[in-house]
Amino acid sequence: MKDIATIVFRLTLTCLVAGLIMGGCFIVTNKAKQHNQQVNEQKVMLSLLGYSAAKPAPASLALHPVYRYLVSEKEVQALGYLVPVAGGAPDAFAFVTLDLDGKFLHRFDLQLAPEKVEQAKERQQAVQVAVGPGKSIKYADQTIIVTDNGKRQAYLLPGEFQGFKTFVKVMLAIDPGFTVLGLEIMEHEEDPGLGGEIVQDYFKQQFRGKPYEALKKLGVVKQPLPDEYRTALEAGKSGSLGPEEVARIQAQYQDHDIYALTGATISSRAVTNGVKTIVKKFAYRIGFLDQVLAEQQIVVPF
Amino acid sequence: MATDKSNLQLVISGILNENPIFRLVLSMCPAVGISTTVMNGFMLGVAVLFVQVFSSCTISLIKNWIHPRIRIPTYTLTIATWVTVIDLVLAAYLPEAYAKMGIFVKLIVAFAIITMRLEMFACKESLTHSFWDGVGMGLGFMAGMMAIGLVRELLGLGTILGYDVLGFRPLLFFILPTAGFFCVGLMMGFFNYIETRYKRAKQG
């Protein structure tokens, strides 16, 4: 009996100490981690749009985030978009709800400081207050609309889908005609050396320049990647080919299916289908959103 | 009960005559699963080295307060704590290295080699000896992983450390998990063969 008591006591103590060390470490490192993630995301966004340290983005370039929420009231489901309102104060936002057929339901105006919009919790609270009680809102995803001097340049779509092992988080850039500008893998846990190769240029760059029409019926082929195509895909890194040559080869394979990674067909297929789904759903939704914004004469900066 | 080996001997024995992979045959899962390239082997080796050293030192420090009946849970907790700490620190301050190593670091909690070293060595020995034993075991594990990685990368992808040396891919089979068993088995046999030859030559 005495033995049991000591065992319980010591084990509890060990757990507590271990918990304290881990918790303390988490608190100390979490801030740095989140900061890193944000910096990295910004960098990825700009690099997908073709800007780098050597070629900085012009000052006229602006990124406008649009947040999508699911709004449910009793049994009725609706979609809500949080969009910035142009022409007024920088903290003016509108929360526009659409029913599932894309018809306009309501417009709620709210004030929210731009830096607070980026905080998921504060944004959620502000939206909840705006729509009033009795409705539950659930964050779905965000889209970043890129404008240059007020003209739409591109959409940045952060997304997530099931890979071979766990979820794969990606960032996609598409132009206003839904042609893919670039794909970046943000987070994944695929097998190193096999599915993990999805982060390599020779795989992810295959998506670049795929027009929407080709993307809609894009598949995966289990064929070896042609050598000349591979060099063109990796040109950004090695720089062995001139830009014209790369563009010529890319154009040649523009409508071709994605070449699967050797030994990782499932991961290749997962990424291809994931990208396809993200772009298709977005193209469908943005059409309705634009229509509603125009009908209701909500002035947005994009 | 203290060991009669010097610090240097402890390190060398961890690398050679008590090599975790080829002699103790422990932690075979990572040896088979992850050793597809030299770089992977090296990364996992570094992570194991740190966890082994930290855990060995911790256990050696608190060895007098561990109740004999709850040794293993205590070891597991210690290892899990250090793995979590290393994981968090890497993710926060070295995001580039973490992008490559992150997936391996979490696996270490379940490595037999670390628990075994705590049970066999650190819970009986002094702090200094435990530290050097941890270093030796970590380096031995790293060397073993890199050796397997070298063979598999060369035969599977035709490259070493990502550089193309053969110019073609001999057998993709070697980077698939199954081939890990063949590789480890054949290399173990090879090293045993060398050892027997060496001993015989020494005898006469």
Side-chain angles (χ1 to χ4, degrees):
Chain A
M1 199 55 212
K2 203 177 148 243
D3 222 21
I4 274 259
T6 24
I7 289 179
V8 168
F9 174 71
R10 289 195 190 176
L11 210 47
T12 318
L13 195 71
T14 324
C15 286
L16 278 177
V17 173
L20 278 178
I21 297 177
M22 287 193 264
C25 196
F26 177 76
I27 294 171
V28 172
T29 55
N30 199 33
K31 257 194 186 146
K33 190 180 169 186
Q34 277 182 348
H35 176 75
N36 280 342
Q37 260 174 359
Q38 270 179 3
V39 171
N40 185 30
E41 230 166 73
Q42 287 289 334
K43 217 170 82 187
V44 167
M45 284 181 194
L46 290 177
S47 80
L48 281 178
L49 297 171
Y51 301 109
S52 60
K55 188 188 162 203
S60 55
L61 194 84
L63 307 176
H64 307 284
V66 171
Y67 302 93
R68 188 168 68 93
Y69 281 90
L70 298 176
V71 185
S72 43
E73 186 183 14
K74 285 164 204 153
E75 298 291 291
V76 190
Q77 300 275 335
L79 293 176
Y81 292 92
L82 184 68
V83 293
V85 178
D91 60 349
F93 284 87
F95 189 69
V96 186
T97 54
L98 278 66
D99 71 5
L100 295 184
D101 298 322
K103 295 275 175 308
F104 173 74
L105 290 175
H106 289 288
R107 171 188 175 170
F108 305 94
D109 282 308
L110 61 147
Q111 310 270 312
L112 199 58
E115 63 271 13
K116 279 192 183 167
V117 174
E118 286 171 17
Q119 305 292 330
K121 223 166 136 191
E122 307 207 19
R123 186 175 65 229
Q124 175 106 6
Q125 268 173 6
V127 173
Q128 183 70 62
V129 170
V131 295
K135 289 178 183 168
S136 72
I137 54 166
K138 197 169 161 274
Y139 173 68
D141 55 20
Q142 89 176 103
T143 304
I144 296 138
I145 302 180
V146 184
T147 59
D148 193 0
N149 275 328
K151 219 174 138 267
R152 272 188 211 188
Q153 288 284 310
Y155 304 109
L156 288 166
L157 313 172
E160 176 178 276
F161 46 80
Q162 175 73 45
F164 176 54
K165 289 209 154 157
T166 55
F167 286 100
V168 180
K169 281 191 184 167
V170 297
M171 174 84 74
L172 253 175
I174 56 177
D175 76 358
F178 310 126
T179 300
V180 180
L181 293 173
L183 166 73
E184 185 61 58
I185 313 285
M186 305 297 289
E187 241 181 276
H188 76 91
E189 286 187 26
E190 305 296 290
D191 290 318
L194 297 165
E197 297 288 296
I198 52 172
V199 301
Q200 300 288 346
D201 273 347
Y202 71 84
F203 180 72
K204 69 179 186 210
Q205 295 290 18
Q206 289 186 38
F207 289 94
R208 203 173 66 190
K210 290 267 183 260
Y212 188 45
E213 285 311 307
L215 191 74
K216 273 198 262 186
K217 44 183 195 299
L218 194 66
V220 173
V221 285
K222 287 210 240 180
Q223 283 165 10
L225 187 68
D227 280 342
E228 93 177 326
Y229 190 29
R230 192 183 170 120
T231 356
L233 291 170
E234 287 177 337
K237 211 163 53 184
S238 59
S240 53
L241 288 177
E244 300 88 32
E245 187 72 353
V246 172
R248 186 187 64 79
I249 299 173
Q250 288 254 356
Q252 189 186 336
Y253 289 94
Q254 191 178 306
D255 294 334
H256 198 281
D257 283 345
I258 299 295
Y259 288 96
L261 289 167
T262 328
T265 315
I266 298 178
S267 298
S268 314
R269 222 172 251 154
V271 174
T272 310
N273 288 337
V275 168
K276 240 161 88 173
T277 318
I278 293 173
V279 177
K280 267 157 85 175
K281 283 190 175 159
F282 174 76
Y284 177 76
R285 287 191 196 120
I286 192 77
F288 285 118
L289 180 64
D290 277 340
Q291 201 183 336
V292 166
L293 290 177
E295 274 171 17
Q296 299 301 317
Q297 301 184 334
I298 300 170
V299 192
V300 286
F302 46 79
Chain B
M1 187 184 110
T3 177
D4 48 0
K5 287 178 181 163
S6 74
N7 295 341
L8 184 67
Q9 276 172 324
L10 279 173
V11 175
I12 291 176
S13 96
I15 301 173
L16 294 176
N17 29 359
E18 280 188 53
N19 187 295
I21 294 175
F22 296 119
R23 304 315 305 269
L24 302 180
V25 200
L26 284 168
S27 289
M28 281 293 104
C29 310
V32 169
I34 294 167
S35 59
T36 44
T37 62
V38 182
M39 208 53 202
N40 281 353
F42 175 71
M43 291 285 186
L44 191 67
V46 173
V48 166
L49 179 67
F50 277 104
V51 176
Q52 178 77 70
V53 169
F54 283 131
S55 307
S56 283
C57 291
T58 317
I59 291 297
S60 177
L61 276 176
I62 62 168
K63 58 180 178 284
N64 296 334
W65 295 292
I66 300 175
H67 194 285
R69 289 226 170 152
I70 49 162
R71 293 189 321 273
I72 305 294
T74 316
Y75 299 158
T76 315
L77 266 170
T78 314
I79 300 169
T81 310
W82 281 119
V83 168
T84 313
V85 168
I86 290 174
D87 189 66
L88 289 173
V89 169
L90 274 182
Y93 301 111
L94 294 168
E96 269 131 46
Y98 184 73
K100 294 194 191 97
M101 277 172 73
I103 192 164
F104 305 140
V105 174
K106 291 175 195 130
L107 291 172
I108 299 174
V109 182
F111 280 12
I113 172 68
I114 298 176
T115 320
M116 178 269 184
R117 268 345 265 181
L118 299 182
E119 166 79 13
M120 299 295 293
F121 199 94
C123 74
K124 299 171 195 151
E125 305 288 347
S126 72
L127 181 61
T128 350
H129 283 146
S130 302
F131 174 80
W132 288 112
D133 179 68
V135 172
M137 281 296 147
L139 288 177
F141 184 80
M142 190 197 288
M145 288 292 283
M146 284 172 75
I148 305 169
L150 184 78
V151 172
R152 289 179 72 182
E153 191 178 351
L154 188 68
L155 295 180
L157 295 171
T159 59
I160 287 177
L161 282 170
Y163 294 105
D164 212 330
V165 278
L166 292 184
F168 66 101
R169 293 179 159 202
L171 254 180
L172 181 74
F173 167 70
F174 273 98
I175 58 162
L176 297 175
T178 335
F181 286 105
F182 290 96
C183 261
V184 175
L186 290 174
M187 287 176 74
M188 211 181 278
F190 177 69
F191 285 128
N192 281 345
Y193 172 73
I194 291 182
E195 195 197 348
T196 334
R197 285 288 295 267
Y198 174 73
K199 276 190 179 154
R200 259 190 222 146
K202 222 175 165 187
Q203 275 167 6

